[in-house]
Amino acid sequence: MKNRYSNLELLRIISMFFIVMHHYAIHGSAPWANHFHPNIAMTESIYLLFLSIGKAAVVAFVLIGAYFLSEKEFKLWRIINLCINTFVYSWLIFILLKVCNVKLPALVSGYNLWFPIPIPSNYWFVISYVYMLLLMPFLNLILSHCSKRQILLLLSMLFVFWCIIQFLPNNKPDNIDYDFFSTNNYFLFIYLIGGYIRKYYKNGSQARTLIYLIMSLAITFMVGFLVVRYYGIYYDRLWCISAVINDPFGIMIGVSLFLTFKNMKIKTNLVINYISKSMFGVYLIHDNSYIREFLWGKLINTMPLASNSVKYLLYGFTISICVFVVCICIDIIKRLTIDPLILREGQRLTSRVVSWSKKL
């Protein structure tokens, strides 16, 4: 087995930490609203910054997978392994909470438990990632058969349609939900970006040029964001941009982060590589539907910090580190005890599915 690239594994760790910080903000109990409040303006600015870096971290995290998958063959085991790990964590957490007689945030019926997918907790990221993996062979065909200009044109169109148009001031109200946009489709967009980088930006000088361009655009947007935010102009529109996955700041900063770490010269580091394998587990634990409600809604109370930006920032950083470290430790225990069984049974299941599909 080849050693993992430690530079991108380090980015995987940093990205997941940023995602934890993002969840501290978006799921916290502080009383934010999508209109301007001068008294808590600085704290709200930090809140919105947490939202943006979280979206950038999601982009960077998906780009890591897309970058390598864009030149690999489709393997059913990737999807089955992802689903099994999600299934195990979701049910373990659900059963543990039931045994401990913890009041769950919503009534869970038999239908809720088994449909549309057989897990108690809902993980939007997993659904979108599985969707991306299923369409991976077709995305790779686009990357291999289209010219550089054609792929760049496609990416530019998707960026404009999904990250710009719907946020323009005075846009039509019925465009808010953008019927043809979804997180599933957004992951396909990110996949194509990762494949494009893998195919055309292999040398450092090209990558650095692109980094400078994207960072310049991101800084320009952020300066405009802060100026407009300070005066309260179009604040509700800026709030909407920061609160959704397809925020333009997020995609630009996420791609810049990926390119920056891609060209770092970091030797294979066994500690970084070992810890990075737990990043998906960190997500499954701390963003579980039931854990999320208890962790950010009850255990951690950010409501008193709304008027103190320094405390809100420091508390968020400290709490995020604690949650991050605890989740890593839990996942390592799972990897040492449960994963060998998952690997054996999962590969057996994969072989049966492949054998069955050949008979059709």
Side-chain angles (χ1 to χ4, degrees), residues 332-357:
I332 289 175
I333 294 171
K334 171 189 165 290
R335 284 164 52 190
L336 294 174
T337 57
I338 300 176
D339 279 12
L341 177 62
I342 293 176
L343 180 63
R344 185 176 69 250
E345 296 301 321
Q347 289 179 339
R348 184 183 302 174
L349 175 61
T350 304
S351 300
R352 288 180 179 179
V353 172
V354 172
S355 176
W356 173 78
S357 63

Side-chain angles (χ1 to χ4, degrees), residues 5-8 10 261 264-269 272:
Y5 294 73
S6 291
N7 52 339
L8 293 181
L10 178 60
F261 277 83
M264 283 183 178
K265 305 297 181 183
I266 299 180
K267 294 180 180 179
T268 300
N269 186 301
I272 291 175

Side-chain angles (χ1 to χ4, degrees), residues 17 313-323:
F17 177 69
L313 176 63
L314 294 178
Y315 186 65
F317 189 75
T318 304
I319 287 296
S320 297
I321 289 177
C322 293
V323 171

Side-chain angles (χ1 to χ4, degrees), residues 93-94 97-98 101-109 112 120-122 287-295 297-298:
I93 291 171
F94 176 74
L97 293 176
K98 293 291 282 186
N101 203 27
V102 175
K103 185 178 180 181
L104 300 179
L107 179 65
V108 180
S109 67
N112 297 134
S121 181
N122 179 44
D287 204 40
N288 175 278
S289 299
Y290 307 119
I291 295 295
R292 179 201 307 154
E293 179 79 11
F294 173 75
L295 179 64
K298 297 177 181 178

Side-chain angles (χ1 to χ4, degrees), residues 234-280:
Y234 292 132
Y235 180 65
D236 59 336
R237 182 68 61 169
L238 292 172
W239 183 283
C240 291
I241 293 175
S242 298
V244 295
I245 184 67
N246 54 323
D247 121 50
F249 309 132
I251 191 72
M252 290 187 293
I253 298 171
V255 172
S256 299
L257 268 174
F258 177 80
L259 289 172
T260 301
F261 277 83
K262 171 184 172 293
N263 292 289
M264 283 183 178
K265 305 297 181 183
I266 299 180
K267 294 180 180 179
T268 300
N269 186 301
L270 297 180
V271 175
I272 291 175
N273 292 358
Y274 187 80
I275 293 175
S276 71
K277 292 178 182 178
S278 288
M279 293 305 100
F280 184 59

Side-chain angles (χ1 to χ4, degrees), residues 12 27 34 46 78 100 105 121 138 140 149 170 225 231 233 256 281 288 303 336 338 344-345:
R12 198 189 301 271
H27 296 312
N34 61 348
I46 295 171
R78 291 192 188 100
C100 295
S121 181
F138 305 101
N140 287 348
R149 184 177 179 181
N170 302 318
F225 175 90
Y231 290 105
I233 303 169
S256 299
N288 175 278
M303 193 171 291
L336 294 174
I338 300 176
R344 185 176 69 250
E345 296 301 321

